[in-house]
Amino acid sequence: MLENLVRKQTGNRIIVTVIGQDRVGIIAKVSNILATHQVNILDISQTIMQEFFAMVLIADMEKSDLDLETIKEKLSILGQELGVKIEAQHEDVFRYMHRI
Amino acid sequence: MYSINEVLETIRMVQEENLDIRTITMGISLRDCADANAAKACQRIYDKITTQAANLVKAGEEIEREYGIPIINKRISVTPISLVAESSDANNYTPFAEAMDRAAKEVGVNFIGGFSALVHKGFTKGDRILINSIPEALATTERVCSSVNVGSTKDGINMDAVYRMGQVVKECAERTADKDGLACAKLVVFCNVPEDNPFMAGAFHGIGEAECVINVGVSGPGVVKNAVEKVKGTDFGTLAETVKKTAFKITRMGELVGRAAAKKLGVPFGIVDLSLAPTPAVGDSVAEVLEAMGLECCGTHGTTAALALLNDAVKKGGAMASSYVGGLSGAFIPLSEDAGMIRAAECGILTLEKLEAMTCVCSVGLDMIAIPGDTTAETLAAIIADEMAIGMVNFKTTAVRIIPAPGKTVGDRVEFGGLLGHAPIIPVKQAGAQEFVTRGGRIPAPIQSLKN
């Protein structure tokens, strides 16, 4: 029961990261792809580390029409266009590594 | 919520520091495959492996994609074949190895372990046939790995087995002389062998294990090295704490992947082996971790102490991260598979004696070490006996995977390619030990065995 509850909360959440040179429109374009495929953005934070732009976005893909792999591909192609590195990973990876 | 630094740390570990899941190993019991008719038993073995592991590689690849963590190897370990084949009429078990090899190819795993025997106290008929079959089995198959346990703290060392294994190693090298003695890289001699080790070549599915389990081996020398470099100049407490915290994170990743794989395949999750296993790739080296601690070159004075600290901190961090840890757990020091070790051996600072000393404080033993091809079976047996004695007396697992490279001598090198890497030939002592290793019988168990 408890496991199901936890699963529900975190089951389909992904973490998208963008790292690279800052430029106009990164967030707009990333969120556009996510919105097109019904991926709901829950939280965004960004920072400039040294001269690099780093953005971390948490999203829920519960209702998405795509699987994680396809979303990753689409984001990766966008990343190449923008000259930044975009990664999407299942939230579990981060939850497991940093939270007990 | 996650901090940006945590997220970036995870991504950096995978992308820049070679954090990976080294291996998902499916352990399969073959105890129900025994048959009086050897051909029938082989068929059963093939059928069972290909059924149980049919989706292993696919599940591994799915997890890789889902979590974005590379899983380098998908492998299989089986019940020691000496136990399964013993009730058959065969007097050569090579066909069993061939059945394992075919099954491994069918399901797409790169190694299958378990062409094994446990003879620490004595031989049965099946054990003898298996050991006699090893050279042919390893020379004619591609993916089969073999191991023989010749000693334990409780039982002492079976010196007849040690001597026989010296001869077997020699024969394995000769049968694969055209490939630098490759068969020896697939053969391990153990003392106190663990039954749930997911790492080859020593993996087998122990008799205390369940029908089918998933064991996971994690690795990340690059991640640890990076963490160690960040605390340059600090005291040992800080150094150990840093390694511990890093090992915790690496192991958590293994636990996640292991549980995901077990769930996908519908089999129980076994253990995480919290090891630092190197690869020949630059930046994925245990030797470099030791050097990052402040040694000019791995193998110099201080190396054993550094390795002891590393090994212990890895275990402490890992033990907190997973409740089911097992296997060999610790730092592996295979010479040919570690870029830093290769370099240290090439410049003569890392020697066989130092490697032996290092094995007193780390997981395994003399691993993937190439020595001159003219080394005698007796000297090989003596090297094995030394290493087994370290394991026996210290209540730990030790192993020997050594390659007397045919036709090669000090100054030459062997090349195995892939994960097995390459290595310089390092010298061995020239004085013999024939009279000692051929005495026969068993070295008695040490007083530590009387723990009750």
Side-chain angles (χ1 to χ4, degrees):
Chain A
M1 186 65 201
L2 186 66
E3 205 174 28
N4 284 343
L5 210 69
V6 174
R7 190 91 209 135
K8 229 176 189 169
Q9 279 172 359
T10 62
N12 281 311
R13 296 207 323 205
I14 58 168
I15 294 190
V16 178
T17 52
V18 182
I19 302 169
Q21 284 291 331
D22 195 11
R23 56 174 287 176
V24 175
I26 294 179
I27 295 181
K29 286 193 169 143
V30 170
S31 45
N32 186 32
I33 288 188
L34 297 179
T36 313
H37 298 288
Q38 282 80 49
V39 181
N40 187 27
I41 297 174
L42 304 171
D43 187 38
I44 295 186
S45 56
Q46 64 170 79
T47 181
I48 305 287
M49 295 177 80
Q50 284 148 13
E51 72 275 28
F52 285 107
F53 169 80
M55 182 188 89
V56 175
L57 178 158
I58 303 179
D60 185 350
M61 51 184 293
E62 182 78 47
K63 298 197 174 71
S64 177
D65 52 350
L66 298 180
D67 60 6
L68 178 55
E69 205 191 343
T70 323
I71 289 183
K72 275 176 87 149
E73 241 167 66
K74 284 186 182 293
L75 289 172
S76 168
I77 293 167
L78 173 68
Q80 279 165 19
E81 280 168 25
L82 295 172
V84 294
K85 200 156 174 98
I86 309 185
E87 283 287 330
Q89 269 178 308
H90 203 278
E91 189 204 29
D92 281 356
V93 173
F94 304 92
R95 192 161 55 90
Y96 246 79
M97 195 181 249
H98 299 285
R99 300 280 180 270
I100 300 178
Chain B
M1 230 7 84
Y2 306 95
S3 82
I4 247 182
N5 282 331
E6 284 174 347
V7 172
L8 294 180
E9 182 186 17
T10 305
I11 293 188
R12 196 183 56 238
M13 280 182 181
V14 176
Q15 293 188 345
E16 288 167 30
E17 299 168 358
N18 298 326
L19 172 64
D20 57 43
I21 301 301
R22 186 51 50 86
T23 182
I24 297 186
T25 303
M26 178 182 263
I28 304 171
S29 166
L30 296 183
R31 275 152 65 180
D32 56 353
C33 297
D35 196 289
N37 179 324
K40 220 183 241 177
C42 289
Q43 187 59 41
R44 282 190 186 171
I45 288 173
Y46 176 85
D47 292 344
K48 184 156 187 190
I49 296 171
T50 49
T51 310
Q52 292 278 16
N55 293 319
L56 175 63
V57 173
K58 194 171 131 256
E61 284 166 357
E62 272 175 28
I63 294 167
E64 260 179 297
R65 282 197 300 269
E66 258 169 53
Y67 294 121
I69 309 288
I71 300 170
I72 308 299
N73 298 302
K74 292 95 187 168
R75 293 169 169 175
I76 294 169
S77 63
V78 299
T79 308
I81 292 296
S82 66
L83 303 175
V84 184
E86 186 150 32
S87 48
S88 78
D89 49 11
N91 49 24
N92 178 346
Y93 293 162
T94 305
F96 287 83
E98 286 164 355
M100 288 163 72
D101 203 41
R102 275 200 310 278
K105 281 177 185 154
E106 171 64 28
V107 300
V109 297
N110 58 354
F111 279 122
I112 178 165
F115 197 74
S116 306
L118 308 168
V119 297
H120 37 276
K121 210 166 176 185
F123 302 91
T124 65
K125 176 197 103 187
D127 295 332
R128 281 192 199 280
I129 302 175
L130 184 118
I131 291 173
N132 292 339
S133 311
I134 288 174
E136 188 186 345
L138 294 186
T140 54
T141 60
E142 203 183 303
R143 308 184 187 197
V144 174
C145 290
S146 175
S147 58
V148 177
N149 191 59
V150 300
S152 80
T153 302
K154 285 277 183 196
D155 305 300
I157 303 171
N158 179 348
M159 285 300 289
D160 292 323
V162 168
Y163 184 33
R164 184 73 191 102
M165 288 315 292
Q167 296 167 330
V168 168
V169 168
K170 190 84 185 151
E171 227 180 292
C172 281
E174 278 157 9
R175 276 185 183 257
T176 47
D178 55 330
K179 293 177 212 145
D180 284 344
L182 178 65
C184 299
K186 299 185 283 179
L187 172 63
V188 191
V189 187
F190 271 114
C191 181
N192 289 325
V193 70
E195 298 197 342
D196 53 4
N197 162 28
F199 286 105
M200 293 299 167
F204 71 88
H205 189 71
I207 50 169
E209 297 282 309
E211 181 72 20
C212 184
V213 290
I214 287 291
N215 294 328
V216 163
V218 292
S219 183
V223 180
V224 176
K225 182 191 160 202
N226 217 290
V228 168
E229 270 169 357
K230 280 193 188 132
V231 293
K232 198 169 189 276
T234 57
D235 72 343
F236 286 108
T238 315
L239 177 60
E241 189 66 20
T242 306
V243 175
K244 237 163 68 180
K245 282 184 180 153
T246 313
F248 173 85
K249 290 177 185 175
I250 297 172
T251 311
R252 291 293 289 175
M253 198 63 99
E255 168 106 0
L256 170 69
V257 167
R259 291 197 179 276
K263 199 172 168 199
K264 262 188 207 292
L265 294 162
V267 297
F269 170 64
I271 54 106
V272 182
D273 183 305
L274 26 128
S275 287
L276 289 185
T279 68
V282 174
D284 210 13
S285 153
V286 171
E288 284 170 14
V289 177
L290 301 175
E291 288 168 2
M293 287 184 182
L295 302 170
E296 210 172 294
C297 178
C298 175
T300 189
H301 306 293
T303 305
T304 312
L307 184 60
L309 184 153
L310 175 68
N311 210 47
D312 181 65
V314 165
K315 286 183 188 172
K316 283 175 179 161
M320 177 71 185
S322 171
S323 292
Y324 298 100
V325 293
L328 289 162
S329 290
F332 279 64
I333 51 168
L335 200 156
S336 80
E337 299 172 9
D338 187 310
M341 298 272 177
I342 296 168
R343 184 174 31 73
E346 273 167 353
C347 65
I349 289 180
L350 186 61
T351 60
L352 191 59
E353 293 71 36
K354 191 63 181 180
L355 280 161
E356 186 183 305
M358 287 162 75
T359 65
C360 299
V361 299
C362 83
S363 313
V364 211
L366 297 173
D367 200 13
M368 289 303 285
I369 293 166
I371 57 172
D374 61 3
T375 309
T376 62
E378 288 74 24
T379 299
L380 283 164
I383 293 171
I384 294 170
D386 278 346
E387 193 57 37
M388 299 300 108
I390 290 172
M392 174 182 77
V393 171
N394 297 299
F395 238 115
K396 72 188 290 295
T397 304
T398 48
V400 173
R401 184 161 54 142
I402 197 161
I403 305 119
K408 303 230 165 163
T409 178
V410 177
D412 296 337
R413 56 188 261 164
V414 290
E415 187 74 58
F416 298 120
L419 269 180
L420 295 174
H422 66 93
I425 310 282
I426 59 175
V428 297
K429 302 263 188 258
Q430 291 307 312
Q434 178 161 10
E435 227 177 283
F436 178 75
V437 295
T438 55
R439 294 182 90 99
R442 190 151 50 95
I443 294 182
I447 190 76
Q448 284 96 308
S449 69
L450 299 178
K451 269 190 184 173
N452 260 320

